[in-house]
mmCIF file of all heavy atoms in Angstrom:
data_model
loop_
_atom_site.group_PDB
_atom_site.id
_atom_site.type_symbol
_atom_site.label_atom_id
_atom_site.label_comp_id
_atom_site.label_asym_id
_atom_site.label_seq_id
_atom_site.Cartn_x
_atom_site.Cartn_y
_atom_site.Cartn_z
ATOM 1 N N LYS A 1 0.777 -1.139 -0.096
ATOM 2 C CA LYS A 1 -0.035 -0.023 -0.016
ATOM 3 C C LYS A 1 0.798 1.193 -0.033
ATOM 4 O O LYS A 1 0.549 2.307 -0.696
ATOM 5 C CB LYS A 1 -0.929 0.013 1.178
ATOM 6 C CG LYS A 1 -2.183 -0.945 1.073
ATOM 7 C CD LYS A 1 -3.090 -0.715 2.264
ATOM 8 C CE LYS A 1 -4.368 -1.362 2.027
ATOM 9 N NZ LYS A 1 -4.366 -2.824 2.000
ATOM 10 N N LEU A 2 1.951 1.291 0.804
ATOM 11 C CA LEU A 2 2.767 2.373 0.875
ATOM 12 C C LEU A 2 3.528 2.667 -0.441
ATOM 13 O O LEU A 2 3.521 3.723 -0.972
ATOM 14 C CB LEU A 2 3.800 2.158 2.021
ATOM 15 C CG LEU A 2 3.281 2.376 3.384
ATOM 16 C CD1 LEU A 2 4.242 1.707 4.438
ATOM 17 C CD2 LEU A 2 3.135 3.838 3.817
ATOM 18 N N PHE A 3 4.189 1.600 -1.011
ATOM 19 C CA PHE A 3 4.983 1.880 -2.274
ATOM 20 C C PHE A 3 4.101 2.164 -3.449
ATOM 21 O O PHE A 3 4.581 3.041 -4.318
ATOM 22 C CB PHE A 3 6.120 0.938 -2.449
ATOM 23 C CG PHE A 3 5.638 -0.460 -2.798
ATOM 24 C CD1 PHE A 3 4.976 -0.750 -3.957
ATOM 25 C CD2 PHE A 3 6.052 -1.573 -2.046
ATOM 26 C CE1 PHE A 3 4.648 -2.157 -4.242
ATOM 27 C CE2 PHE A 3 5.783 -2.784 -2.231
ATOM 28 C CZ PHE A 3 5.029 -3.106 -3.502
ATOM 29 N N VAL A 4 2.995 1.690 -3.462
ATOM 30 C CA VAL A 4 2.018 1.998 -4.633
ATOM 31 C C VAL A 4 1.498 3.460 -4.452
ATOM 32 O O VAL A 4 1.618 4.203 -5.474
ATOM 33 C CB VAL A 4 0.873 0.984 -4.767
ATOM 34 C CG1 VAL A 4 -0.292 1.434 -5.668
ATOM 35 C CG2 VAL A 4 1.256 -0.436 -5.149
ATOM 36 N N SER A 5 1.097 3.860 -3.284
ATOM 37 C CA SER A 5 0.638 5.149 -3.096
ATOM 38 C C SER A 5 1.843 6.079 -3.278
ATOM 39 O O SER A 5 1.582 7.230 -3.784
ATOM 40 C CB SER A 5 0.291 5.210 -1.612
ATOM 41 O OG SER A 5 -0.092 6.624 -1.220
ATOM 42 N N HIS A 6 3.085 5.809 -2.835
ATOM 43 C CA HIS A 6 4.168 6.729 -2.978
ATOM 44 C C HIS A 6 4.433 6.846 -4.489
ATOM 45 O O HIS A 6 4.779 8.036 -4.882
ATOM 46 C CB HIS A 6 5.298 6.216 -2.345
ATOM 47 C CG HIS A 6 6.513 7.178 -2.092
ATOM 48 N ND1 HIS A 6 7.868 6.674 -2.001
ATOM 49 C CD2 HIS A 6 6.499 8.602 -2.056
ATOM 50 C CE1 HIS A 6 8.559 7.835 -1.900
ATOM 51 N NE2 HIS A 6 7.758 8.927 -1.867
ATOM 52 N N LYS A 7 4.377 5.907 -5.196
ATOM 53 C CA LYS A 7 4.629 5.963 -6.723
ATOM 54 C C LYS A 7 3.602 6.918 -7.344
ATOM 55 O O LYS A 7 3.940 7.729 -8.189
ATOM 56 C CB LYS A 7 4.660 4.553 -7.463
ATOM 57 C CG LYS A 7 4.775 4.599 -8.869
ATOM 58 C CD LYS A 7 4.712 3.316 -9.531
ATOM 59 C CE LYS A 7 4.790 3.352 -10.965
ATOM 60 N NZ LYS A 7 4.579 2.051 -11.518
ATOM 61 N N THR A 8 2.288 6.724 -6.996
ATOM 62 C CA THR A 8 1.221 7.737 -7.442
ATOM 63 C C THR A 8 1.458 9.025 -7.085
ATOM 64 O O THR A 8 1.330 9.886 -8.065
ATOM 65 C CB THR A 8 -0.054 7.056 -6.837
ATOM 66 O OG1 THR A 8 -0.357 5.774 -7.334
ATOM 67 C CG2 THR A 8 -1.321 7.964 -7.467
ATOM 68 N N GLN A 9 1.848 9.383 -5.960
ATOM 69 C CA GLN A 9 2.138 10.709 -5.457
ATOM 70 C C GLN A 9 3.405 11.355 -6.222
ATOM 71 O O GLN A 9 3.223 12.437 -6.743
ATOM 72 C CB GLN A 9 2.336 10.692 -4.038
ATOM 73 C CG GLN A 9 1.147 10.456 -3.140
ATOM 74 C CD GLN A 9 1.377 10.615 -1.670
ATOM 75 O OE1 GLN A 9 2.183 9.783 -1.115
ATOM 76 N NE2 GLN A 9 0.669 11.527 -1.059
ATOM 77 N N LEU A 10 4.378 10.575 -6.389
ATOM 78 C CA LEU A 10 5.621 10.947 -6.993
ATOM 79 C C LEU A 10 5.328 11.272 -8.535
ATOM 80 O O LEU A 10 5.696 12.350 -9.134
ATOM 81 C CB LEU A 10 6.848 10.054 -6.962
ATOM 82 C CG LEU A 10 7.349 9.984 -5.564
ATOM 83 C CD1 LEU A 10 8.410 8.829 -5.471
ATOM 84 C CD2 LEU A 10 7.962 11.348 -5.134
ATOM 85 N N CYS A 11 4.585 10.333 -9.141
ATOM 86 C CA CYS A 11 4.263 10.528 -10.581
ATOM 87 C C CYS A 11 3.433 11.748 -10.822
ATOM 88 O O CYS A 11 3.538 12.504 -11.827
ATOM 89 C CB CYS A 11 3.527 9.230 -11.102
ATOM 90 S SG CYS A 11 4.694 7.760 -11.326
ATOM 91 N N ALA A 12 2.401 11.972 -9.951
ATOM 92 C CA ALA A 12 1.609 13.128 -10.051
ATOM 93 C C ALA A 12 2.405 14.383 -10.070
ATOM 94 O O ALA A 12 1.963 15.436 -10.627
ATOM 95 C CB ALA A 12 0.505 13.184 -8.938
ATOM 96 N N ARG A 13 3.484 14.438 -9.222
ATOM 97 C CA ARG A 13 4.240 15.712 -9.119
ATOM 98 C C ARG A 13 5.305 15.781 -10.251
ATOM 99 O O ARG A 13 5.486 16.919 -10.693
ATOM 100 C CB ARG A 13 4.938 15.661 -7.788
ATOM 101 C CG ARG A 13 4.246 16.463 -6.757
ATOM 102 C CD ARG A 13 5.273 16.940 -5.662
ATOM 103 N NE ARG A 13 6.155 15.956 -5.124
ATOM 104 C CZ ARG A 13 6.024 15.101 -4.353
ATOM 105 N NH1 ARG A 13 4.751 14.989 -3.714
ATOM 106 N NH2 ARG A 13 6.926 14.124 -3.933
ATOM 107 N N CYS A 14 5.807 14.629 -10.702
ATOM 108 C CA CYS A 14 6.942 14.717 -11.774
ATOM 109 C C CYS A 14 6.382 14.176 -13.090
ATOM 110 O O CYS A 14 6.303 12.928 -13.365
ATOM 111 C CB CYS A 14 8.003 13.745 -11.298
ATOM 112 S SG CYS A 14 8.755 14.085 -9.758
ATOM 113 N N ARG A 15 5.831 15.219 -13.826
ATOM 114 C CA ARG A 15 5.136 14.858 -15.107
ATOM 115 C C ARG A 15 6.058 14.656 -16.170
ATOM 116 O O ARG A 15 5.629 14.288 -17.352
ATOM 117 C CB ARG A 15 4.134 15.921 -15.342
ATOM 118 C CG ARG A 15 3.009 16.081 -14.349
ATOM 119 C CD ARG A 15 1.934 16.959 -14.731
ATOM 120 N NE ARG A 15 0.919 17.110 -13.647
ATOM 121 C CZ ARG A 15 0.001 16.336 -13.396
ATOM 122 N NH1 ARG A 15 -0.264 15.319 -14.167
ATOM 123 N NH2 ARG A 15 -1.064 16.499 -12.478
ATOM 124 N N ASP A 16 7.310 15.033 -16.040
ATOM 125 C CA ASP A 16 8.230 14.808 -17.260
ATOM 126 C C ASP A 16 9.015 13.469 -17.036
ATOM 127 O O ASP A 16 10.038 13.372 -16.497
ATOM 128 C CB ASP A 16 9.248 15.995 -17.214
ATOM 129 C CG ASP A 16 9.922 16.317 -15.753
ATOM 130 O OD1 ASP A 16 9.295 15.750 -14.794
ATOM 131 O OD2 ASP A 16 10.955 16.931 -15.768
ATOM 132 N N GLY A 17 8.454 12.506 -17.666
ATOM 133 C CA GLY A 17 9.034 11.208 -17.773
ATOM 134 C C GLY A 17 9.291 10.410 -16.500
ATOM 135 O O GLY A 17 8.262 10.392 -15.650
ATOM 136 N N ASP A 18 10.482 9.898 -16.405
ATOM 137 C CA ASP A 18 10.830 9.011 -15.127
ATOM 138 C C ASP A 18 11.641 9.747 -14.197
ATOM 139 O O ASP A 18 12.408 9.031 -13.443
ATOM 140 C CB ASP A 18 11.451 7.685 -15.719
ATOM 141 C CG ASP A 18 10.629 6.891 -16.456
ATOM 142 O OD1 ASP A 18 9.306 6.862 -16.330
ATOM 143 O OD2 ASP A 18 11.127 6.083 -17.372
ATOM 144 N N THR A 19 11.507 11.041 -13.957
ATOM 145 C CA THR A 19 12.322 11.691 -13.029
ATOM 146 C C THR A 19 11.895 11.269 -11.542
ATOM 147 O O THR A 19 12.634 11.568 -10.641
ATOM 148 C CB THR A 19 12.027 13.282 -13.089
ATOM 149 O OG1 THR A 19 10.759 13.510 -13.022
ATOM 150 C CG2 THR A 19 12.680 13.694 -14.374
ATOM 151 N N TRP A 20 10.724 10.720 -11.403
ATOM 152 C CA TRP A 20 10.227 10.300 -10.036
ATOM 153 C C TRP A 20 11.007 8.950 -9.505
ATOM 154 O O TRP A 20 11.103 8.815 -8.274
ATOM 155 C CB TRP A 20 8.784 9.988 -10.065
ATOM 156 C CG TRP A 20 8.427 8.825 -10.966
ATOM 157 C CD1 TRP A 20 8.207 8.993 -12.360
ATOM 158 C CD2 TRP A 20 8.360 7.444 -10.686
ATOM 159 N NE1 TRP A 20 7.871 7.794 -12.904
ATOM 160 C CE2 TRP A 20 7.999 6.745 -11.917
ATOM 161 C CE3 TRP A 20 8.579 6.775 -9.473
ATOM 162 C CZ2 TRP A 20 7.898 5.474 -11.971
ATOM 163 C CZ3 TRP A 20 8.405 5.399 -9.530
ATOM 164 C CH2 TRP A 20 8.100 4.712 -10.802
ATOM 165 N N ILE A 21 11.616 8.192 -10.526
ATOM 166 C CA ILE A 21 11.863 6.798 -10.205
ATOM 167 C C ILE A 21 13.114 6.906 -9.223
ATOM 168 O O ILE A 21 13.248 5.830 -8.349
ATOM 169 C CB ILE A 21 12.211 6.092 -11.372
ATOM 170 C CG1 ILE A 21 12.032 4.514 -11.072
ATOM 171 C CG2 ILE A 21 13.543 6.377 -12.055
ATOM 172 C CD1 ILE A 21 11.988 3.688 -12.519
ATOM 173 N N ASP A 22 14.134 7.779 -9.240
ATOM 174 C CA ASP A 22 15.173 7.699 -8.451
ATOM 175 C C ASP A 22 14.859 7.807 -6.852
ATOM 176 O O ASP A 22 15.310 7.215 -6.043
ATOM 177 C CB ASP A 22 16.215 8.857 -8.697
ATOM 178 C CG ASP A 22 16.931 8.557 -10.128
ATOM 179 O OD1 ASP A 22 17.010 7.324 -10.573
ATOM 180 O OD2 ASP A 22 17.433 9.498 -10.744
ATOM 181 N N GLY A 23 13.898 8.816 -6.722
ATOM 182 C CA GLY A 23 13.357 9.013 -5.312
ATOM 183 C C GLY A 23 12.737 7.847 -4.793
ATOM 184 O O GLY A 23 12.890 7.367 -3.632
ATOM 185 N N TRP A 24 11.965 7.110 -5.657
ATOM 186 C CA TRP A 24 11.178 5.920 -5.309
ATOM 187 C C TRP A 24 12.068 4.811 -4.991
ATOM 188 O O TRP A 24 12.003 4.106 -3.991
ATOM 189 C CB TRP A 24 10.214 5.533 -6.395
ATOM 190 C CG TRP A 24 9.278 4.570 -5.984
ATOM 191 C CD1 TRP A 24 8.080 4.807 -5.311
ATOM 192 C CD2 TRP A 24 9.254 3.140 -6.407
ATOM 193 N NE1 TRP A 24 7.317 3.556 -5.186
ATOM 194 C CE2 TRP A 24 8.008 2.555 -5.776
ATOM 195 C CE3 TRP A 24 10.118 2.365 -7.001
ATOM 196 C CZ2 TRP A 24 7.780 1.233 -5.972
ATOM 197 C CZ3 TRP A 24 9.858 1.101 -7.224
ATOM 198 C CH2 TRP A 24 8.731 0.468 -6.761
ATOM 199 N N HIS A 25 13.164 4.645 -5.769
ATOM 200 C CA HIS A 25 14.098 3.646 -5.535
ATOM 201 C C HIS A 25 15.006 3.852 -4.262
ATOM 202 O O HIS A 25 15.165 2.909 -3.549
ATOM 203 C CB HIS A 25 15.224 3.592 -6.607
ATOM 204 C CG HIS A 25 14.598 2.877 -7.910
ATOM 205 N ND1 HIS A 25 15.146 3.087 -9.130
ATOM 206 C CD2 HIS A 25 13.708 1.976 -8.079
ATOM 207 C CE1 HIS A 25 14.470 2.287 -10.110
ATOM 208 N NE2 HIS A 25 13.598 1.591 -9.389
ATOM 209 N N GLU A 26 15.230 5.049 -3.892
ATOM 210 C CA GLU A 26 15.962 5.526 -2.846
ATOM 211 C C GLU A 26 15.121 5.079 -1.537
ATOM 212 O O GLU A 26 15.729 4.457 -0.491
ATOM 213 C CB GLU A 26 16.185 6.936 -2.668
ATOM 214 C CG GLU A 26 16.981 7.415 -1.434
ATOM 215 C CD GLU A 26 18.418 6.873 -1.396
ATOM 216 O OE1 GLU A 26 18.910 6.575 -2.434
ATOM 217 O OE2 GLU A 26 18.917 6.917 -0.284
ATOM 218 N N VAL A 27 13.863 5.137 -1.512
ATOM 219 C CA VAL A 27 12.963 4.870 -0.370
ATOM 220 C C VAL A 27 12.670 3.386 -0.217
ATOM 221 O O VAL A 27 12.711 2.989 0.846
ATOM 222 C CB VAL A 27 11.717 5.637 -0.451
ATOM 223 C CG1 VAL A 27 10.643 5.176 0.674
ATOM 224 C CG2 VAL A 27 11.877 7.199 -0.423
ATOM 225 N N TRP A 28 12.534 2.694 -1.445
ATOM 226 C CA TRP A 28 11.930 1.282 -1.361
ATOM 227 C C TRP A 28 12.989 0.193 -1.810
ATOM 228 O O TRP A 28 13.008 -0.852 -1.304
ATOM 229 C CB TRP A 28 10.680 1.132 -2.252
ATOM 230 C CG TRP A 28 9.643 2.095 -1.905
ATOM 231 C CD1 TRP A 28 9.318 3.303 -2.383
ATOM 232 C CD2 TRP A 28 8.975 1.982 -0.552
ATOM 233 N NE1 TRP A 28 8.306 3.933 -1.682
ATOM 234 C CE2 TRP A 28 8.087 3.258 -0.461
ATOM 235 C CE3 TRP A 28 8.843 1.136 0.438
ATOM 236 C CZ2 TRP A 28 7.233 3.446 0.568
ATOM 237 C CZ3 TRP A 28 8.022 1.320 1.570
ATOM 238 C CH2 TRP A 28 7.166 2.502 1.505
ATOM 239 N N VAL A 29 13.759 0.541 -2.866
ATOM 240 C CA VAL A 29 14.722 -0.498 -3.335
ATOM 241 C C VAL A 29 15.970 -0.667 -2.537
ATOM 242 O O VAL A 29 16.473 -1.657 -2.190
ATOM 243 C CB VAL A 29 15.040 -0.232 -4.812
ATOM 244 C CG1 VAL A 29 16.022 -1.325 -5.307
ATOM 245 C CG2 VAL A 29 13.717 -0.441 -5.617
ATOM 246 N N ARG A 30 16.503 0.609 -2.190
ATOM 247 C CA ARG A 30 17.683 0.641 -1.399
ATOM 248 C C ARG A 30 17.556 -0.165 -0.066
ATOM 249 O O ARG A 30 18.591 -0.989 0.215
ATOM 250 C CB ARG A 30 18.183 2.096 -1.154
ATOM 251 C CG ARG A 30 19.538 2.146 -0.412
ATOM 252 C CD ARG A 30 19.906 3.632 -0.207
ATOM 253 N NE ARG A 30 21.082 3.762 0.518
ATOM 254 C CZ ARG A 30 21.573 4.840 1.051
ATOM 255 N NH1 ARG A 30 20.980 6.055 0.896
ATOM 256 N NH2 ARG A 30 22.819 4.827 1.626
ATOM 257 N N PRO A 31 16.654 0.094 0.746
ATOM 258 C CA PRO A 31 16.482 -0.755 1.977
ATOM 259 C C PRO A 31 16.495 -2.165 1.723
ATOM 260 O O PRO A 31 16.876 -3.079 2.443
ATOM 261 C CB PRO A 31 15.239 -0.234 2.749
ATOM 262 C CG PRO A 31 15.038 1.117 1.977
ATOM 263 C CD PRO A 31 15.622 1.019 0.615
ATOM 264 N N LEU A 32 15.791 -2.578 0.672
ATOM 265 C CA LEU A 32 15.498 -3.950 0.303
ATOM 266 C C LEU A 32 16.946 -4.599 -0.089
ATOM 267 O O LEU A 32 17.067 -5.674 0.426
ATOM 268 C CB LEU A 32 14.578 -4.025 -0.945
ATOM 269 C CG LEU A 32 14.534 -5.386 -1.691
ATOM 270 C CD1 LEU A 32 13.846 -6.474 -0.653
ATOM 271 C CD2 LEU A 32 13.711 -5.376 -3.025
ATOM 272 N N LEU A 33 17.764 -4.063 -0.960
ATOM 273 C CA LEU A 33 18.982 -4.497 -1.296
ATOM 274 C C LEU A 33 19.878 -4.593 -0.024
ATOM 275 O O LEU A 33 20.646 -5.655 0.062
ATOM 276 C CB LEU A 33 19.632 -3.689 -2.321
ATOM 277 C CG LEU A 33 18.977 -3.550 -3.609
ATOM 278 C CD1 LEU A 33 19.671 -2.651 -4.537
ATOM 279 C CD2 LEU A 33 18.833 -5.058 -4.196
#
């Protein structure tokens, strides 16, 4: 629920391509790795 909601919020703010993805990876992928 958290990472899906976070992706939606970031995408709504960053309308130019995939600029949101680095911030999302920092929050969700980095702790996972």
Side-chain angles (χ1 to χ4, degrees):
K1 281 187 169 67
L2 285 163
F3 65 65
V4 169
S5 172
H6 194 207
K7 178 182 176 181
T8 302
Q9 290 179 299
L10 290 173
C11 288
R13 266 203 316 275
C14 306
R15 300 188 180 276
D16 50 341
D18 292 335
T19 55
W20 61 272
I21 201 165
D22 289 338
W24 192 78
H25 282 157
E26 180 68 20
V27 174
W28 301 107
V29 176
R30 184 181 177 187
L32 169 65
L33 294 178

